[in-house]
């Protein structure tokens, strides 16, 4: 018959390489029987990437190897300034709301006098209870008794 150089394991001829895809022979041995299992499989591009698909991978590897040893900035100074400004405005608004809500919460009587709110009866009663509870706790837990 006619002898084909590719069958004997020789290199493919230059014209046939583009027309015929590469095949891979996988040989495994069954551990129980010892019998060889020979299969021809079609390799995927992850096993043998083509020259065109390795360029992005090479570029990616070189980008990770040849880079500065310090962390590079992830945003510009103007972006950082805008973010900080927005957060400062948000914190200021939240603090104003918290101060307004805290104004009507019970607190020590001295603080009520300082704020000029000693005329509010409900707030004075709640503050007196708060002061009594604090005094009771201080009597039950004298200084230095914890350790």
């Amino acid at each position: 018959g006619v002898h084909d150089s590719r069958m004997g394991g020789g290199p493919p001829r230059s014209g046939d390489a583009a027309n015929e895809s590469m095949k891979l022979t996988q040989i495994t041995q069954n551990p129980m029987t010892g019998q060889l299992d020979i299969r021809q499989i079609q390799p995927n591009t992850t096993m043998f990437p083509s020259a065109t698909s390795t360029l992005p991978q090479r570029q990616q590897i070189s980008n990770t190897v040849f880079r500065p040893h310090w962390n590079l900035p992830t945003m510009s100074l103007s972006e950082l300034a805008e973010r900080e400004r927005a957060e400062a405005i948000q914190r200021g608004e939240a603090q104003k709301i918290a101060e307004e809500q805290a104004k009507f919460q019970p607190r020590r009587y001295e603080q009520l006098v300082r704020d000029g709110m000693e005329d509010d009866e409900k707030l004075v009663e709640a503050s007196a209870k708060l002061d009594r509870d604090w005094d009771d706790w201080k009597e039950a837990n004298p200084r230095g008794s914890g350790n």
Side-chain angles (χ1 to χ4, degrees), residues 43-132:
N44 55 18
T45 58
T46 59
M47 294 171 75
F48 297 105
S50 67
T52 58
S53 67
T54 58
L55 287 178
Q57 184 181 9
R58 283 185 180 190
Q59 185 66 39
Q60 182 181 6
I61 291 171
S62 70
N63 287 346
T64 58
V65 171
F66 301 110
R67 66 176 181 185
H69 61 277
W70 59 88
N71 291 334
L72 298 175
T74 58
M75 67 176 71
S76 69
L77 289 175
S78 61
E79 290 172 329
L80 177 64
E82 183 59 35
R83 178 186 278 183
E84 289 289 328
R85 183 179 168 276
E87 288 175 1
I89 290 172
Q90 188 178 16
R91 281 192 309 268
E93 290 172 355
Q95 185 175 356
K96 284 181 186 176
I97 292 171
E99 286 174 358
E100 287 296 319
Q101 291 175 347
K103 188 182 281 189
F104 300 104
Q105 296 295 322
R107 51 192 185 274
R108 300 199 51 104
Y109 185 74
E110 296 89 37
Q111 293 171 340
L112 287 178
V113 172
R114 184 187 67 210
D115 294 340
M117 298 187 72
E118 68 272 5
D119 296 338
D120 189 350
E121 267 187 52
K122 285 185 179 180
L123 203 52
V124 169
E125 288 177 17
S127 294
K129 182 182 181 324
L130 189 72
D131 284 343
R132 280 193 301 274

